[in-house]
Amino acid sequence: HVELVESGGGLVQAGGSLRLSCVASGTIFDRNDMGWYRQAPGKQRELVATVTSGGHINYADSVKGRFMISRDNAKNLVYLQMNGLKPEDTAVYYCRADEFNGPRIGTLTFWGQGTQVTVSS
């Protein structure tokens, strides 16, 4: 029922910028904790940035000062603005939603299908 759809990935030269978007449906978006994760070939999926329903933001050390996460609850959107891109940022970027459903059900996690970001040197 919950669907997350990412967009905005592509090929960019080192030092360039991209803005990823994730639109959510089937959920009360403003209550969700949202995040961006990435996975490079042969590596584990890793946290990039998160923003809670209360607006608390966390970044991976590797992207601090370069990436910015934001959300537009009225449009069910979460963004990842990526500046100063480096080849090591190359990965599939995934949108994640954590939906809290009370103490009995707990938190349900949903993932988008991902969008490819490739940074050339």
Side-chain angles (χ1 to χ4, degrees), residues 9-85:
L11 175 64
V12 65
Q13 289 187 330
S17 298
L18 287 172
R19 188 174 80 159
L20 307 183
S21 299
C22 171
V23 61
S25 61
T27 184
I28 304 175
F29 183 81
D30 61 320
R31 299 183 183 180
N32 297 339
D33 295 342
M34 303 296 299
W36 288 96
Y37 292 70
R38 67 187 181 187
Q39 188 168 21
K43 300 181 68 176
Q44 293 291 103
R45 189 172 299 186
E46 65 176 359
L47 182 149
V48 177
T50 59
V51 54
T52 70
S53 61
H56 182 264
I57 292 174
N58 182 57
Y59 295 102
D61 287 342
S62 60
V63 306
K64 285 181 179 177
R66 299 189 298 123
F67 291 9
M68 292 176 289
I69 190 170
S70 61
R71 64 193 298 167
D72 185 342
N73 289 338
K75 298 179 179 179
N76 287 8
L77 284 168
V78 60
Y79 302 101
L80 185 68
Q81 178 66 48
M82 304 185 294
N83 300 319
L85 283 163

